[in-house]
Amino acid sequence: MNYTLHQLKIFLKITENQSITKASEELHLTQPAVSIQLKNFQDQFSIPLTEVVGRKLYVTDFGKEIAVAAKKILNEVDAINYKTLSYKGELVGRLKFSVVSTGKYVIPYMLSNFSHQNKGVDLVIDVTNKVQVIESLELNTVDFAMVSVLPKKLKVERVELMQNKLYLIAGKKGLSNKGLSRKKIFEQSPLIYREAGSATRAAMENFIIKNKFEVRKKIELTSNEAVKQAVIAGLGFSIMPIIGLKNELKNNEVQIVPIKGLPILTRWNIIWLKSKKLSPTALAFLEYLNAEKDQVIKETFEWIERY
């Protein structure tokens, strides 16, 4: 056997995603590079690790056992690296975050200086919808979550960050129907929704129900970026968090449509389970966040106050 740590990482990522394409995206490698490494790894075993059925990749039972072993090996390697840094007096460990999709515009700025100051801390950030974020928190597979709406069924602690503002947004083509009343915008124009499970979608639906609008045409997309591009293209209107629209507003690609009852205001929060025993690394992050969050918000997100 002459496999490398690099091959173990690639194989483990393939088994987690059951897809070479998704594994290559997460590893920031090309698909051919991942496929070659998988073949080189497979060549060292006489028993198949994966199989393709109907163009879909499946991990064999033997492959699953190898994946378990690979994960243990990689965890031990991480432990060696952490121990080395610890003996040098550096903060070490891994922090796992689950972040609602719009939170991707916020979380990097909250982590940037902390990461630069603590080279021995690895960050794992999963960006998904609210349902998956809360599930990750409930299953205790992450240290922290970032949400704009607090979960009702979980007991959590939190650090409050900044306001999240949601406005009705239109592209230039959408605004060509400026003769429409506010009510008719909702009832006669296509409305672009996020997928079920999204906090943004829930806020949009609550607003429509509260105002007793009858929506006749819905378009559903699975990311804020997709919704934004659809609005810019003139496909319809949407209620969106302003935080992801800085450049588009500046370049007049989208505009805010004034309407009574908007913006919808929520607040970004870093949350964690109240019962969770936080690691020294997690406690150090909270200490940093409480000390630095106001400065980060002022330097990075002050532009939002103009709207």
Side-chain angles (χ1 to χ4, degrees):
M1 295 289 177
N2 192 31
Y3 46 78
T4 65
L5 293 176
H6 184 56
Q7 288 172 345
L8 291 177
K9 288 179 182 178
I10 288 176
F11 179 66
L12 185 58
K13 191 61 68 175
I14 289 171
T15 63
E16 290 172 350
N17 290 281
Q18 293 198 33
S19 166
I20 289 175
T21 300
K22 290 181 180 179
S24 65
E25 290 173 353
E26 291 190 16
L27 292 165
H28 304 292
L29 297 171
T30 64
Q31 289 186 43
V34 171
S35 296
I36 290 171
Q37 290 301 323
L38 175 60
K39 181 181 182 304
N40 291 342
F41 189 57
Q42 173 66 77
D43 287 346
Q44 299 179 68
F45 302 93
S46 59
I47 304 172
L49 299 169
T50 61
E51 57 185 358
V52 177
V53 180
R55 299 182 66 181
K56 182 173 176 58
L57 183 142
Y58 294 89
V59 182
T60 65
D61 288 341
F62 176 68
K64 291 175 182 177
E65 291 190 21
I66 297 300
V68 170
K71 189 171 185 177
K72 289 180 180 178
I73 292 170
L74 293 170
N75 285 340
E76 287 299 320
V77 171
D78 287 341
I80 291 171
N81 292 334
Y82 293 149
K83 287 176 182 177
T84 302
L85 291 169
S86 180
Y87 268 90
K88 293 166 64 177
E90 297 183 30
L91 186 66
V92 297
R94 176 178 293 168
L95 290 179
K96 293 184 178 181
F97 295 81
S98 190
V99 180
V100 293
S101 59
T102 311
K104 66 177 175 285
Y105 300 109
V106 180
I107 194 66
Y109 298 98
M110 297 298 164
L111 289 170
S112 181
N113 285 340
F114 178 80
S115 180
H116 287 305
Q117 293 168 13
N118 299 283
K119 303 294 185 182
V121 176
D122 293 331
L123 303 175
V124 180
I125 306 171
D126 179 36
V127 179
T128 183
N129 66 34
K130 182 190 173 186
V131 170
Q132 296 299 321
V133 168
I134 300 307
E135 183 178 330
S136 296
L137 195 67
E138 190 172 15
L139 294 175
N140 198 31
T141 58
V142 296
D143 298 295
F144 299 105
M146 184 173 187
V147 296
S148 58
V149 179
L150 295 174
K152 295 180 179 178
K153 296 182 180 180
L154 295 180
K155 294 181 179 180
V156 299
E157 301 282 1
R158 63 170 168 160
V159 174
E160 290 189 6
L161 301 177
M162 51 189 281
Q163 272 194 337
N164 181 36
K165 299 181 178 181
L166 290 83
Y167 287 91
L168 181 65
I169 302 296
K172 289 182 179 179
K173 293 182 180 179
L175 284 176
S176 63
N177 288 324
K178 58 185 179 182
L180 291 176
S181 68
R182 303 310 180 206
K183 183 176 181 180
K184 287 183 178 179
I185 285 177
F186 283 90
E187 297 186 347
Q188 295 184 13
S189 300
L191 289 182
I192 306 170
Y193 288 71
R194 282 286 308 280
E195 79 285 359
S198 160
T200 298
R201 177 181 179 131
M204 183 171 173
E205 289 179 330
N206 289 339
F207 178 80
I208 291 169
I209 292 170
K210 182 179 179 180
N211 287 276
K212 299 180 180 179
F213 295 143
E214 294 182 10
V215 178
R216 296 184 181 178
K217 185 170 182 179
K218 296 181 180 179
I219 300 169
E220 182 176 305
L221 297 171
T222 57
S223 73
N224 280 308
E225 287 300 316
V227 172
K228 180 167 65 178
Q229 293 305 319
V231 170
I232 291 172
L235 199 55
F237 294 76
S238 188
I239 292 179
M240 296 188 67
I242 195 174
I243 197 167
L245 300 169
K246 181 179 181 180
N247 292 331
E248 289 74 19
L249 288 166
K250 182 179 178 181
N251 297 329
N252 293 317
E253 293 177 292
V254 300
Q255 293 186 40
I256 293 172
V257 181
I259 189 166
K260 185 179 179 180
L262 294 179
I264 299 167
L265 299 177
T266 58
R267 183 168 291 276
W268 290 110
N269 299 274
I270 295 289
I271 65 174
W272 63 98
L273 290 175
K274 196 168 186 177
S275 58
K276 186 172 182 64
K277 185 177 176 63
L278 295 175
S279 68
T281 304
L283 291 171
F285 168 68
L286 288 179
E287 183 179 353
Y288 161 84
L289 187 64
N290 280 309
E292 301 294 333
K293 63 173 183 173
D294 291 342
Q295 186 63 29
V296 173
I297 292 169
K298 181 178 180 181
E299 290 178 354
T300 310
F301 302 109
E302 195 172 27
W303 65 272
I304 293 176
E305 297 303 318
R306 299 198 301 267
Y307 294 93

